[in-house]
């Protein structure tokens, strides 16, 4: 029987090591991720944040030189084991990138993309998913009269919300976000942050950010990476007010990075 604390975990990463060829990019990472929490990942450029987040839905497998050891347990299954169905995994673990990257298609087709890949064909069902996903990201009111217009005609902030809607349309459990607001203006950034706070009622979110204020505003837990190591993982308030490790303190107070 599992202890009650374990049942709250959606991911349990154990002794994860990752190499790009000879370059040891992630070193002995042990990282539990709790359900319906926002976990922020911070650390200087090149420390392995994007690498780590891309292991969680095995996007990292697209890099041919990658080798991994250890375990990434997702809902109790080690996804580094054999026979992992990547389409199925990515349905449950969606991803949003730094720059909104809508497909050169209509707004509707962008959001319907994932459900269609997963075999949903009925217009009524697709309509429902598209409307719900656009409502979830607070974009519905802005686009409901132009669903067939090209997604690339939206503003940067709208495109990023559209990409989040596209990720939500397959009803994932987990949403991975790699610097989702770094290309956005302050107002659009605020909208995405408000959205994250709403989404965490339903989803588990892992967000990479260079913005300390953002990490402290949106996350429950914060992880500090340095040169491929997870230096410290704790409640966000502890990391920002009373970190255990002097290297974490050095980073958050701006002494390096
Ligand atoms: N495809 C790749 N092939 C080889 N090395 C890579 C590859 N991608 C990343 N790396 C290396 O792995 C290390 C970690 O990179 P990663 O992109 O995870 O850093 P990051 O923390 O996301 O940095 P940033 O804040 O600049 O986005 C870096 O040294 C980087 O050069
Ligand atoms: Mg990165």
């Amino acid at each position: 029987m599992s202890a009650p604390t374990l049942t709250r975990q959606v991911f349990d990463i154990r002794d994860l090591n990752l190499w790009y060829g000879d370059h040891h990019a992630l070193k002995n990472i042990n990282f539990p991720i709790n359900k319906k929490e926002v976990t922020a990942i911070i650390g200087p450029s090149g420390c392995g944040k994007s690498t780590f987040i891309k292991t969680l839905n095995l996007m990292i497998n697209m890099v041919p030189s990658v080798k991994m050891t250890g375990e990434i347990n997702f809902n109790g299954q080690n996804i580094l084991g054999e026979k992992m169905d990547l389409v199925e995994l990515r349905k449950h673990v969606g991803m949003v990138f730094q720059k909104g990257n809508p497909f050169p298609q209509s707004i509707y087709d962008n959001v319907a993309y994932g459900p269609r890949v997963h075999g949903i064909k009925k217009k009524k069902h697709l309509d429902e998913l598209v409307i719900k996903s656009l409502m979830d990201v607070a974009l519905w009111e802005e686009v409901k009269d132009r669903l067939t217009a090209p997604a690339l005609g939206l503003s940067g902030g709208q495109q990023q919300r559209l990409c989040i809607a596209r990720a939500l349309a397959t009803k994932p459990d987990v949403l991975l976000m790699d610097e989702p607001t770094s290309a956005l203006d302050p107002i659009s950034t605020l909208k995405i942050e408000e959205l994250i706070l709403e989404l965490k009622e339903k989803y588990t979110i892992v967000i990479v950010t260079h913005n300390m204020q953002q990490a402290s505003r949106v996350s429950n837990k914060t992880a500090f990476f340095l040169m491929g190591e997870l230096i410290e993982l704790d409640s966000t308030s502890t990391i920002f007010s009373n970190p255990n490790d002097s290297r974490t303190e050095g980073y958050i107070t701006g002494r390096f990075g």
Side-chain angles (χ1 to χ4, degrees):
M1 261 218 310
S2 344
T5 49
L6 289 179
T7 60
R8 295 196 57 217
Q9 287 177 3
V10 55
F11 274 106
D12 186 16
I13 292 100
R14 302 261 175 115
D15 300 324
L16 177 67
N17 282 279
L18 182 146
W19 292 263
Y20 292 107
D22 293 336
H23 177 60
H24 197 180
L26 293 177
K27 300 171 186 162
N28 283 316
I29 308 292
N30 285 283
F31 198 142
I33 297 175
N34 286 341
K35 237 172 233 174
K36 296 189 185 175
E37 280 188 357
V38 179
T39 302
I41 299 179
I42 61 170
S45 182
C47 69
K49 303 178 298 296
S50 296
T51 301
F52 175 72
I53 204 171
K54 283 188 284 187
T55 65
L56 300 177
N57 65 351
L58 295 180
M59 280 297 232
I60 199 73
N61 287 4
M62 291 166 86
V63 183
S65 65
V66 159
K67 269 193 325 230
M68 284 181 276
T69 61
E71 293 176 15
I72 301 177
N73 296 295
F74 172 58
N75 288 333
Q77 182 188 8
N78 180 11
I79 63 171
L80 296 184
E82 284 167 37
K83 292 191 208 143
M84 196 59 224
D85 178 343
L86 292 181
V87 175
E88 187 63 20
L89 174 65
R90 289 170 195 161
K91 177 179 165 182
H92 294 290
V93 188
M95 185 147 188
V96 175
F97 299 90
Q98 185 166 13
K99 202 156 176 319
N101 56 340
F103 303 137
Q105 298 171 347
S106 70
I107 292 168
Y108 184 99
D109 287 342
N110 263 273
V111 185
Y113 176 84
R116 281 178 174 143
V117 166
H118 292 285
I120 295 174
K121 293 197 183 73
K122 284 218 176 76
K123 180 159 185 321
K124 186 161 173 279
H125 193 179
L126 285 172
D127 284 355
E128 277 168 18
L129 284 170
V130 169
I131 293 169
K132 173 144 196 332
S133 306
L134 288 170
M135 283 181 161
D136 275 355
V137 301
L139 191 57
W140 174 245
E141 286 302 322
E142 288 160 67
V143 302
K144 65 181 179 192
D145 299 323
R146 49 168 168 154
L147 291 176
T148 55
L152 293 170
L154 296 171
S155 75
Q158 288 172 328
Q159 288 189 19
Q160 190 57 297
R161 277 180 285 149
L162 180 71
C163 291
I164 298 172
R166 187 175 66 194
L168 296 182
T170 61
K171 302 192 172 167
D173 305 321
V174 183
L175 198 56
L176 309 175
M177 305 174 121
D178 194 352
E179 299 190 47
T181 62
S182 62
L184 300 180
D185 66 277
I187 304 273
S188 304
T189 297
L190 202 65
K191 278 194 182 168
I192 301 276
E193 289 184 10
E194 283 167 0
L195 179 59
I196 290 170
L197 291 173
E198 276 169 37
L199 293 176
K200 82 167 182 192
E201 303 292 321
K202 289 192 256 175
Y203 303 93
T204 304
I205 296 174
V206 185
I207 178 174
V208 172
T209 180
H210 278 283
N211 180 330
M212 304 293 147
Q213 283 77 25
Q214 178 165 77
S216 59
R217 281 193 294 261
V218 303
S219 69
N220 305 92
K221 299 271 166 62
T222 296
F224 172 58
F225 277 72
L226 187 64
M227 295 194 305
E229 282 181 74
L230 172 56
I231 302 298
E232 192 166 350
L233 165 64
D234 212 321
S235 73
T236 296
S237 56
T238 301
I239 292 286
F240 286 103
S241 63
N242 189 21
N244 260 307
D245 195 292
S246 58
R247 292 167 293 181
T248 313
E249 192 176 8
Y251 183 71
I252 60 166
T253 55
R255 269 187 269 135
F256 68 92

